Amino acid sequence: MSCRNITVHLAITLLLVLFSCGKNSVKPASASAQQPPANSGLRNVLPFPFGAAVNTDLLEKNKAYRDVVVKEYSSLTAENVMKPKALHPGENTWNWAAADSLVSFAVKHGQRIHAHTLIWHKSLPPWLETFQGDTQAWERLFKDHIQTTVSHFRGKVASWDVVNEAIADDGSMRKSIWLEKLGPDYIARAFTYAHEADPSALLFYNDYGHEYGTSKREVILKLVMDLKNRNIPIHGIGMQMHTRGTIPDKNLIDAIQTAASTGLKVHISELDIAMNPENVKDLEFTGALADLQAQKYRLIVKTFNSLPAAQRFGITTWNVGDADSWIPGKYGKPDWPLPFDKNYQPKPAYRAIVEAVK
Ligand code: G3I
């Protein structure tokens, strides 16, 4: 090879080396945003917040649980520790410790807190259920519970389920201590009091049964539209969606789309899909059941993802893995309602959630 040829050869080699170094070191930002690594967690893959209701005891004591919560979720809801029974054990006694440590955990891991719940007919402290007083005393108690709680978490939580499950399954107003003592407009006043205590928090009405059919759903939609039309500070509608593998697709689609028709933010707030609705004692979770469940998760996520971005508050599953679901304990039967199995390994439902947004 002549001296000139050697020089040309070296120059070409140098250019090739520089070009390939450049390719490796300057990765276009858009490429990494579009294609997160397969193991990067749902919080990085989904184009809207993905959350779970978490058990603070498990978060503290179970490393596998803690790891999956950090990796997969961008939003956390307290399964129990922000309910009145936990926060407000005596008329003048408050217990913030467990809820505060959940908030610190979320801050540390860059996660949003959706707070649950201010006013519900369940999980009331015993002192409140036996409280004696006239209407004014009940109103003071009601306002104080809401405003002390919301003020404590002001600036730390993004949002609240202000009123939970105020409509009964037959579409009537649910009989509760709040309805009995304060009358039906307690719902509107709960939102107003919460807004006064934290004007930045997004406020939700949360209920179940949107996917059962039209009767209860229409009453819920009318309730939230009445609040909205009266300029009561309501920002979102929470659909719990404790549902089952046997639910027709159309019911799920109609539930999500009609909630969005309110113009409010939509939160699928307590999603789980029970696969043993007949409560069979020795049922096994077969591949066919896993596939059916995956198909329902896919449909729910796909339908939710088709809503306008500003209305997609997020999807939250109720618990993390099948072993910590509230369903088997409550109904005394095996079930597998979540995208993670009892060892926090992803199930076919997990893959379906990822595929639904492709
Ligand atoms: O922590 C005590 C424990 O000390 C005691 O020994 C034991 C005896 O029963 O009870 C334990 O508390 C239980 C708590 O869960 C923690 O496990 C309560 O009895 C029990 O009522 C409570 O159930 C919760 C339920 O709401 C009522 O608050 C479930 O975990 C929780 O998953 C469930 O969540 C609700 C949502 O808030 C609203 N939508 C429906 C959803 C499922 O029911």
Side-chain angles (χ1 to χ4, degrees):
M1 207 182 274
S2 73
C3 202
R4 184 170 177 275
N5 281 350
I6 289 172
T7 308
V8 170
H9 182 77
L10 280 175
I12 289 171
T13 308
L14 185 64
L15 276 174
L16 283 173
V17 168
L18 283 174
F19 181 65
S20 73
C21 280
K23 271 209 308 197
N24 288 339
S25 59
V26 188
K27 218 186 260 169
S30 60
S32 55
Q34 281 164 12
Q35 291 186 323
N39 65 352
S40 66
L42 293 173
R43 65 184 286 177
N44 297 310
V45 171
L46 300 181
F48 50 78
F50 186 68
V54 293
N55 174 318
T56 47
D57 286 338
L58 286 175
L59 210 51
E60 190 188 333
K61 294 176 186 146
N62 183 328
K63 182 175 184 312
Y65 183 88
R66 197 163 52 244
D67 288 349
V68 81
V69 167
V70 170
K71 179 179 166 193
E72 301 288 347
Y73 303 99
S74 52
S75 180
L76 303 181
T77 300
E79 182 181 12
N80 287 311
V81 299
M82 290 189 181
K83 291 173 178 171
K85 191 174 187 175
L87 290 182
H88 199 172
E91 190 175 348
N92 298 304
T93 315
W94 295 83
N95 179 7
W96 308 111
D100 283 350
S101 79
L102 178 63
V103 170
S104 305
F105 180 92
V107 168
K108 181 172 171 196
H109 298 289
Q111 293 160 311
R112 175 181 82 181
I113 293 274
H114 172 73
H116 171 91
T117 176
L118 292 169
I119 297 298
W120 190 24
H121 63 285
K122 286 189 182 165
S123 280
L124 296 170
W127 71 266
L128 195 153
E129 296 195 89
T130 54
F131 181 81
Q132 300 290 320
D134 59 12
T135 306
Q136 284 74 24
W138 272 96
E139 188 74 19
R140 272 197 304 278
L141 178 165
F142 175 72
K143 183 176 180 183
D144 175 60
H145 175 74
I146 294 171
Q147 296 203 324
T148 304
T149 307
V150 173
S151 299
H152 179 84
F153 295 104
R154 180 176 173 151
K156 297 177 182 162
V157 306
S159 46
W160 273 100
D161 285 335
V162 176
V163 177
N164 193 41
E165 302 175 6
I167 305 297
D169 290 2
D170 64 3
S172 63
M173 290 283 290
R174 184 184 295 283
K175 291 187 178 43
S176 72
I177 210 156
W178 306 117
L179 180 67
E180 181 195 331
K181 304 293 181 189
L182 301 173
D185 218 33
Y186 79 87
I187 298 176
R189 296 202 299 284
F191 280 88
T192 302
Y193 293 150
H195 186 65
E196 284 171 7
D198 184 354
S200 311
L202 296 172
L203 305 181
F204 284 72
Y205 175 75
N206 192 51
D207 213 328
Y208 65 85
H210 290 248
E211 74 280 16
Y212 294 176
T214 53
S215 55
K216 180 172 179 180
R217 177 168 77 218
E218 280 173 1
V219 179
I220 295 171
L221 297 179
K222 181 171 179 313
L223 168 71
V224 299
M225 287 312 290
D226 281 351
L227 295 172
K228 196 178 168 203
N229 293 336
R230 288 166 60 196
N231 289 324
I232 301 295
I234 179 169
H235 310 106
I237 180 164
M239 271 181 290
Q240 295 185 6
M241 232 179 238
H242 293 291
T243 196
R244 23 178 84 183
T246 48
I247 193 94
D249 288 358
K250 182 174 185 322
N251 292 44
L252 296 169
I253 294 169
D254 288 351
I256 296 168
Q257 291 182 343
T258 54
S261 73
T262 61
L264 295 168
K265 290 185 184 296
V266 177
H267 187 198
I268 298 183
S269 56
E270 303 188 14
L271 178 62
D272 46 27
I273 306 182
M275 300 309 293
N276 184 9
E278 303 302 327
N279 301 345
V280 179
K281 292 271 181 226
D282 55 359
L283 192 72
E284 300 210 343
F285 192 55
T286 58
L289 281 182
D291 289 345
L292 173 62
Q293 184 179 55
Q295 185 247 312
K296 297 295 174 188
Y297 269 102
R298 183 185 291 108
L299 179 85
I300 290 167
V301 173
K302 198 174 171 60
T303 308
F304 182 80
N305 197 36
S306 71
L307 303 183
Q311 282 184 272
R312 279 184 259 147
F313 183 74
I315 296 182
T316 296
T317 61
W318 203 251
N319 306 118
V320 174
D322 287 339
D324 40 280
S325 167
W326 64 287
I327 293 175
K330 166 137 184 168
Y331 298 102
K333 53 143 184 182
D335 213 321
W336 312 267
L338 291 155
F340 295 94
D341 70 13
K342 64 181 171 37
N343 299 314
Y344 304 109
Q345 295 304 306
K347 292 160 58 183
Y350 182 98
R351 178 50 48 196
I353 292 171
V354 174
E355 285 166 4
V357 299
K358 279 186 179 161

